[in-house]
Amino acid sequence: SVKLISTDSNKYSKEKLLVVKYNKVSPSSPEWAGVQQSVDAVLSSLHFCIHQDAILDLAKETALWIAAVKSRASKLMVTTTEPSKPDTPREGSDSPFQNFGLKRQGARKVSRQNSTETNLAKAIHKPRGLKRGRSRVAEEPIQFHFSGELKEVGFTLMTSYVNFSSLQAANLMAVFKVSNSQTVISAKLKEFKIFDAAERTRFKMIAESTDSEVFDVHITLNNNLQDQDKVKGIPDVVFKAVMCQLRVVFLMKYVRDLLDFIDPFTNMKEYVMELSAEASEKTISMAKDLYFSATRVKLDIAMSAPVVIIPIHSESNTTFEANLGKLILNNRQIGRASCRERV
């Protein structure tokens, strides 16, 4: 038997698998720290086994199940149901709602009284923290804050005959913050490795990160920008990314093993083509929407190109190394008051 999903870990075996903490604080509470609702989730370790035969069997059973559901649904749609008879009004009444007139009038009186008491309570107990949030954007309360951390995740590629590759990633962190004026999304990964499980090879490490972080991405969406903000050059979207340098070994033996692993899934080519066509249509539509809505995006990307090592064969000490340097991509938004062109 093969474990398709496992939580076994030598490093985090003594820790809890999943820890979720939810916190909701009112602005009038003494524990108020500028965040109304927050969710913190920590997942210790997950390992996925991508078994070739298991995936093929699962795809086959899923196709049969979907076909059975479609057949059942078509039979249910063919059957017709009798239309329901409308309710007849009672004798001596012109309208079916006439008997409920007193109740509706009483309900309106109670609702007015409740709304008046609620407004008075809000006026008396109005929190002071909301008044400070209007003066400065920095003190604006955060409506929702989510932070998640995945300490360790691994993938193993294998068939019924050989276990030929594995992927490991560690310390994946993501943050999502929502406020009235901004939505901030950030993600960070600190470790990334790909191994070749073949015995007769000198290059066990196919790819690895050489710096302390693999990537660090920050996306800021500015909501409800006014005309004066656009004149100052404030963009609608700010995208910042820093990507470290990867060390990659281009080994033909590993490439052939990977192609042999993917080859049985070629019957899913039509399905993948449909998904790619749908994704391309959505991308084109999104690009058109961004163009016609005049969405301004501020880019600040720094990426170190990977170091590519090409050996003669899997057991050779003679290699060719290529270092492609660094890539820096940024732009600058110029306010419409000074210049109408965008750089």
Side-chain angles (χ1 to χ4, degrees):
S1 62
V2 178
K3 296 181 180 179
L4 298 181
I5 301 177
S6 175
T7 59
D8 298 336
S9 175
N10 296 329
K11 188 176 181 181
Y12 302 103
S13 59
K14 297 182 180 180
E15 297 186 9
K16 295 181 179 180
L17 175 62
L18 177 63
V19 177
V20 179
K21 180 181 178 182
Y22 175 75
N23 192 18
K24 184 177 181 180
V25 182
S26 174
S28 60
S29 174
E31 299 180 357
W32 171 255
V35 181
Q36 295 179 358
Q37 297 184 66
S38 63
V39 177
D40 299 329
V42 179
L43 185 61
S44 61
S45 178
L46 273 180
H47 185 271
F48 300 91
C49 179
I50 305 177
H51 196 283
Q52 189 183 68
D53 297 336
I55 294 178
L56 292 175
D57 292 341
L58 180 62
K60 182 179 179 180
E61 293 296 332
T62 303
L64 294 175
W65 180 77
I66 293 176
V69 170
K70 288 183 178 180
S71 176
R72 182 62 178 172
S74 62
K75 292 180 180 179
L76 292 176
M77 292 176 64
V78 172
T79 57
T80 57
T81 57
E82 296 182 358
S84 59
K85 297 181 179 180
D87 297 335
T88 58
R90 297 180 180 179
E91 297 180 359
S93 61
D94 297 334
S95 173
F97 301 101
Q98 186 175 358
N99 296 331
F100 303 96
L102 294 176
K103 293 184 180 180
R104 292 176 60 190
Q105 292 178 0
R108 285 199 296 268
K109 291 180 180 180
V110 174
S111 62
R112 292 196 196 100
Q113 183 178 1
N114 292 338
S115 62
T116 305
E117 293 178 357
T118 305
N119 293 333
L120 290 175
K122 289 183 178 180
I124 297 174
H125 302 286
K126 188 175 182 179
R128 299 178 181 178
L130 297 177
K131 192 177 292 184
R132 292 195 302 267
R134 298 175 183 176
S135 60
R136 295 181 182 180
V137 179
E139 298 180 0
E140 182 182 19
I142 298 175
Q143 300 173 357
F144 180 75
H145 180 277
F146 172 81
S147 64
E149 180 181 1
L150 178 57
K151 295 183 178 181
E152 185 182 67
V153 61
F155 297 89
T156 300
L157 305 180
M158 65 179 300
T159 64
S160 300
Y161 306 99
V162 64
N163 177 6
F164 73 94
S165 182
S166 62
L167 183 149
Q168 294 180 2
N171 297 327
L172 175 61
M173 292 173 285
V175 176
F176 179 74
K177 294 189 294 184
V178 177
S179 62
N180 189 24
S181 63
Q182 284 185 345
T183 300
V184 180
I185 304 171
S186 61
K188 183 186 298 184
L189 180 64
K190 291 189 176 182
E191 187 177 349
F192 175 79
K193 295 179 180 179
I194 298 179
F195 297 93
D196 186 2
E199 297 180 356
R200 299 183 58 182
T201 179
R202 300 180 62 91
F203 303 94
K204 294 289 186 180
M205 188 78 67
I206 298 298
E208 65 174 336
S209 56
T210 59
D211 298 332
S212 58
E213 292 180 352
V214 180
F215 63 81
D216 189 1
V217 179
H218 295 271
I219 302 174
T220 302
L221 307 177
N222 294 316
N223 306 323
N224 304 323
L225 287 180
Q226 304 298 327
D227 292 336
Q228 57 268 23
D229 298 329
K230 296 181 179 180
V231 169
K232 294 177 183 178
I234 300 177
D236 299 300
V237 181
V238 179
F239 182 85
K240 295 182 179 180
V242 177
M243 301 183 66
C244 79
Q245 191 175 57
L246 295 177
R247 181 179 178 272
V248 180
V249 178
F250 185 80
L251 192 62
M252 286 303 301
K253 177 183 177 301
Y254 181 81
V255 174
R256 285 196 301 268
D257 292 341
L258 185 60
L259 293 177
D260 292 339
F261 179 82
I262 300 175
D263 184 67
F265 304 101
T266 53
N267 55 355
M268 300 175 63
K269 185 177 180 180
E270 296 180 357
Y271 178 70
V272 174
M273 291 179 64
E274 292 179 359
L275 291 180
S276 61
E278 184 179 355
S280 62
E281 292 178 358
K282 290 183 179 180
T283 303
I284 295 173
S285 176
M286 185 182 300
K288 289 181 179 179
D289 294 339
L290 291 176
Y291 177 77
F292 289 112
S293 63
T295 302
R296 300 189 298 178
V297 181
K298 176 68 172 63
L299 299 177
D300 188 3
I301 302 174
M303 182 176 62
S304 298
V307 176
V308 181
I309 300 174
I310 305 176
I312 296 177
H313 52 82
S314 60
E315 299 182 9
S316 174
N317 292 327
T318 304
T319 61
F320 173 79
E321 182 174 334
N323 192 336
L324 305 179
K326 294 184 178 180
L327 174 64
I328 297 177
L329 176 63
N330 53 37
N331 64 344
R332 182 167 56 94
Q333 301 289 341
I334 299 177
R336 289 181 292 182
S338 57
C339 180
R340 292 183 179 274
E341 297 181 357
R342 297 181 181 180
V343 179

